[in-house]
Every structure is written in structure tokens, then in C-alpha cells.
Amino acid sequence: MRYSAIVVSVVIPAHNEASVVGRLLGGLLAGAAPGEFEVWVVANGCSDDTAEIAGAFPDVKVLVTPQANKHAAMRLADEHAEGFPRLYVDADVELGPRDVRALAAAFDDPGVLAAGPSRAMPADRRPWTVRWFYDVWDELPVVRTGLFGRGVVGVSREGWERLRALPPLLGDDLAASLLFEPSQRRVVPESRVVVHPPRTGRALLRIRTRALVSTLQAADDPALSSASGSARTSLSDLLAVAGAAPFRATPKVAWFFALTVATKLRARRAVRTKDFRTWHRDDTSR
């Protein structure tokens, strides 16, 4: 079965994303054939014009719910969406129709249950505290091969059935990466998503805290616990990055390590209080 003959469902959970949802939808639908994609935007707990902006696009279907919850928004869309593969896309990224087609084509290969695009992170106008962190982060093996941190996760029908069996987790993209064996997931180089990094060090600390809390939460889930260690950066990984270009990379690795320690302290407080619901959102990049 070739997915090129099947409508791809694109699910976009959006909480107060009026400033960016039009950018995503405009790029996603530019050049797409009529009916090529089934696009669902779930405006969840919004107090802005997210639903109205999304609804202005003729090929977009909008669901509105008062509950501000990403996981619940995704499941609500699943009650209506029909196509596979199914893509879950964050509203603040940029993705074009060619990128969606390339992701869909990855599922033509037997055994591929989940896929994500390659990632571009334009950080030229960010402070060094942000640029240095991502210079190191982007070189880490777990980051290069994992599906997390891309803002886009695609699943086949079988992959979707596995994914929806999981309980609500703070890091849905991390769960999608850990749930599948390396042979069952794929990063597709022909597909590219633009992820906008935070504009301040404080905002970076917030979203890194969310990422680490997600990893700790996954470690408590029986379906993910055995693989959760694969999402953590090891000292040997950092030393390898520093060794590849010691004069340039060593200060960056030191900064990466310092910010990671600060993140762990914040994440441990969240874990002690069982706070797996607080969404540490970055508003600076929107």
C-alpha cells in the first residue's frame, strides 16, 4: 500500500497561537492540491483569535474546546480525522507541502511506524546563551536520531494505535520517539521543519525544564521506562562534541553543561511535587 494515494491527516493542537498559526497554515497549504491534506486545527483553551484565523483557510477544519490541554486536543482531533499517515504538528513551526509528502513517503517502507522531518533552527538573532546551547544540542546523537524537538511527528495507523494507548504525557514527541525501536522510526532528510528557538536564556531554561520533566515522566511509564535512558545525554556524548573542535566547542559544552545542571534542579522540584501538567511555554519565539 502506498500512502501517496491516501489523504494525509494533519492535526495541529493550538493554544493561543493567533500570532503563528496563519504562518504555518499558509506555508502548509501553499502548493497543496485541493483535498490533498486533511487539516484539523484544535483551538484548545484559547482566549485569542486562533480559531478565527485558522477557520479563514478554506481547506482547514477547526475544532474548539475550552480545555487547554495538548494531549486532549490531539485525542479530540483523532475522533474526527480519517487519514493516515497522521501528522501531529505544533502551531509555531513552519512546514511545507513537499515536507509533508516526503514524510508520508517514508511510510511506504515496511516496518516504519513513526517519522519526523529534519530540523532547521535559525538562531542568528538569538543571544549567545541560546546559540551556544543549540550548537551543542544539535550535535548530540540522541538529538539527531530522535523524533523529539522537531514539532512534527508522523505515525502510521499501527503506530497511531500504539501511541494512543499511552496515558497522557507532557512530552508527546518524546513518547513517540521512545515508543518505537530505531528500525521502526525514521528522520526523513528530504523533509524539513523550521523550529524557531527561544529569544532569551530565561525562555530556553523554561522549555529545557519541560523537556527534562518529560523524560523523567516517561521513565515512570512501563511502556517507555526501558527506553527512557536513550533520550538522555551522556558525559561521553559531550566529550565527543568538545573533542571534535576543542578550541571552538569547549566553552559551548561548558555552557551546555551549566544550563543542564540548572534545568535538573528545576525539574527535580516539579517531580517532587508530581507536577507533570505545567506547560513551560516559550512565548518569545512567537
Side-chain angles (χ1 to χ4, degrees):
M1 177 184 298
R2 293 188 61 83
Y3 279 102
S4 56
I6 298 177
V7 173
V8 178
S9 286
V10 179
V11 172
I12 305 170
H15 171 66
N16 288 340
E17 300 286 11
S19 63
V20 293
V21 70
R23 179 185 65 190
L24 169 62
L25 293 172
L28 180 67
L29 297 173
E36 182 178 4
F37 307 139
E38 179 194 39
V39 182
W40 291 91
V41 173
V42 187
N44 61 102
C46 292
S47 58
D48 64 3
D49 298 331
T50 295
E52 289 77 11
I53 293 172
F57 290 84
D59 294 326
V60 174
K61 303 173 184 178
V62 180
L63 298 169
V64 178
T65 173
Q67 183 181 10
N69 183 289
K70 183 179 180 181
H71 182 270
M74 292 163 60
R75 298 291 80 85
L76 177 60
D78 284 336
E79 295 177 10
H80 300 270
E82 298 179 351
F84 286 98
R86 186 159 300 169
L87 272 58
Y88 298 97
V89 181
D90 290 350
D92 60 334
V93 303
E94 296 182 59
L95 191 74
R98 292 183 179 180
D99 305 304
V100 174
R101 294 179 194 124
L103 276 178
F107 293 94
D108 289 342
D109 293 345
V112 175
L113 304 183
S118 62
R119 175 180 43 233
M121 299 188 74
D124 52 320
R125 296 186 178 181
R126 273 38 175 185
W128 70 267
T129 52
V130 174
R131 295 196 314 271
W132 283 18
F133 177 87
Y134 284 111
D135 283 348
V136 176
W137 186 77
D138 198 45
E139 293 297 323
L140 299 173
V142 294
V143 173
R144 288 184 171 274
T145 61
L147 299 183
F148 53 86
R150 302 176 188 277
V152 180
V153 174
V155 289
S156 67
R157 181 181 292 275
E158 181 182 347
W160 172 75
E161 289 175 349
R162 286 196 197 180
L163 198 59
R164 69 172 181 165
L166 291 175
L169 295 171
L170 188 63
D172 54 282
D173 55 350
L174 176 64
S177 188
L178 297 178
L179 187 60
F180 304 104
E181 299 292 332
S183 62
Q184 297 173 328
R185 65 176 190 259
R186 179 167 301 172
V187 174
V188 182
E190 297 81 10
S191 177
R192 190 188 76 153
V193 62
V194 177
V195 180
H196 296 276
R199 294 182 181 275
T200 67
R202 185 183 296 273
L204 173 60
L205 183 60
R206 286 173 58 84
I207 63 171
R208 293 312 303 162
T209 299
R210 183 183 74 205
L212 185 53
V213 171
S214 300
T215 302
L216 296 174
Q217 186 186 23
D220 288 336
D221 188 278
L224 303 174
S225 57
S226 61
S228 62
S230 64
R232 301 184 184 186
T233 300
S234 67
L235 180 59
S236 60
D237 290 334
L238 289 177
L239 291 176
V241 173
F247 296 106
R248 176 176 58 86
T250 301
K252 296 180 180 181
V253 170
W255 169 243
F256 181 96
F257 182 78
L259 192 139
T260 300
V261 170
T263 300
K264 286 184 177 181
L265 294 175
R266 290 167 61 97
R268 284 173 182 171
R269 287 198 296 268
V271 171
R272 282 198 302 268
T273 58
K274 301 295 183 181
D275 180 12
F276 294 119
R277 292 183 177 273
T278 300
W279 187 260
H280 299 276
R281 169 169 160 146
D282 166 37
D283 287 316
T284 66
S285 60
R286 285 169 165 81

